[in-house]
Amino acid sequence: MSELQPVDEPSGVYHRLRAQILDLDRVPGSRLTERGLEAELGASRTPLRAALMRLEADGLVGRDGRAWQVSPIDLGEIARLSELRDAVETAAVRLTCERAPEADIAALAHDLETVDRDQPADDAVRAGTDFHVRLAALSGNHFFADAVGSAMTRLARSRWLVARSEEAWDEHREILRLVAERRPEEAAELIHRHIVGTHERLLQALDADARMLRGRGLAIVR
């Protein structure tokens, strides 16, 4: 593995730490110290603190006394985020059915068809997030897309467990078909079932793999 180059820009520190947290290279519940991160990343204190505060706003880290902690996987938070997604995405898809240009729907459909379903889980998580954010953005209201993107970021560490579900990708295609046919109520109902089903599959995966996950040191809060 090539040696990481020092990074001293707040955005660079943020993106590196965020990628490590979302990929589970930094274990949920693990402790972070500013001094240790300064040495590891080659970053000075000011940009490092700015990055940590930004990650705290994302819900990915929290303060642990004078140090920091990678946020545990919180099952209660996952449930609340699923409720948020349900409310936001069903409202957004109704507007998407009304407002989205045909060309933009076709572009999203093309990209969905070219997704490699055998890709690594972290790439599948990004592709799934991209689909949901773009679908919400087609409503013409960027606040919907922002809310979906924020929720998906907070869910990313747990979503990798079910990221390559064939059922989920088939549902993406069916949702988009209903959007293309301008059928808002049916699209909203399907995206509701999709979010509920994804949440149930996630809980099943976490329950089945709890011993393995805790063996890796992952903190799960019920």
Side-chain angles (χ1 to χ4, degrees):
M1 180 181 297
S2 59
E3 184 177 351
L4 292 175
Q5 295 299 313
V7 56
D8 205 30
E9 291 293 329
S11 61
V13 178
Y14 166 78
H15 286 295
R16 181 177 293 179
L17 284 172
R18 181 177 181 275
Q20 292 172 347
I21 292 169
L22 294 181
D23 291 342
L24 299 176
D25 292 333
R26 293 192 183 275
V27 175
S30 62
R31 196 165 182 267
L32 306 171
T33 65
E34 292 183 13
R35 182 169 296 179
L37 290 172
E38 287 172 22
E40 180 181 343
L41 301 176
S44 56
R45 183 157 299 182
T46 298
L48 178 60
R49 284 183 174 172
L52 287 168
M53 291 176 67
R54 191 172 168 188
L55 290 166
E56 183 179 30
D58 289 342
L60 296 177
V61 304
R63 296 186 183 274
D64 180 21
R66 298 182 66 181
W68 297 80
Q69 181 189 48
V70 178
S71 298
I73 292 176
D74 186 331
L75 298 185
E77 179 178 271
I78 289 171
R80 291 188 289 274
L81 287 167
S82 293
E83 291 174 350
L84 173 67
R85 285 187 60 203
D86 192 8
V88 171
E89 293 193 53
T90 53
V93 80
R94 289 187 176 97
L95 292 177
T96 293
C97 286
E98 295 175 13
R99 299 174 176 174
E102 297 285 348
D104 291 345
I105 296 173
L108 183 53
H110 173 270
D111 292 345
L112 188 58
E113 290 299 328
T114 59
V115 167
D116 178 7
R117 299 194 184 195
D118 294 324
Q119 64 189 312
D122 53 346
D123 291 337
V125 167
R126 281 189 284 271
T129 296
D130 182 66
F131 170 79
H132 283 276
V133 172
R134 288 174 65 185
L135 187 66
L138 290 180
S139 70
N141 186 331
H142 73 87
F143 291 109
F144 281 132
D146 292 346
V148 172
S150 176
M152 298 297 257
T153 293
R154 288 175 178 264
L155 288 167
R157 292 176 302 162
S158 49
R159 284 180 56 239
W160 66 274
L161 290 168
V162 293
R164 289 182 288 189
S165 165
E166 289 292 326
E167 184 176 357
W169 286 107
D170 289 341
E171 289 169 354
H172 286 176
R173 295 175 65 186
E174 182 63 13
I175 290 165
L176 199 55
R177 182 184 68 81
L178 293 171
V179 168
E181 294 176 2
R182 311 295 179 173
R183 295 158 66 179
E185 294 308 315
E186 290 169 85
E189 175 59 24
L190 182 53
I191 208 165
H192 161 72
R193 296 203 308 266
H194 171 71
I195 291 169
V196 170
T198 297
H199 179 64
E200 290 174 350
R201 288 191 293 270
L202 173 59
L203 293 183
Q204 290 169 3
L206 284 169
D207 185 61
D209 293 341
R211 182 172 299 179
M212 178 273 291
L213 293 170
R214 290 194 174 95
R216 291 182 55 192
L218 274 70
I220 300 176
V221 177
R222 294 186 179 273

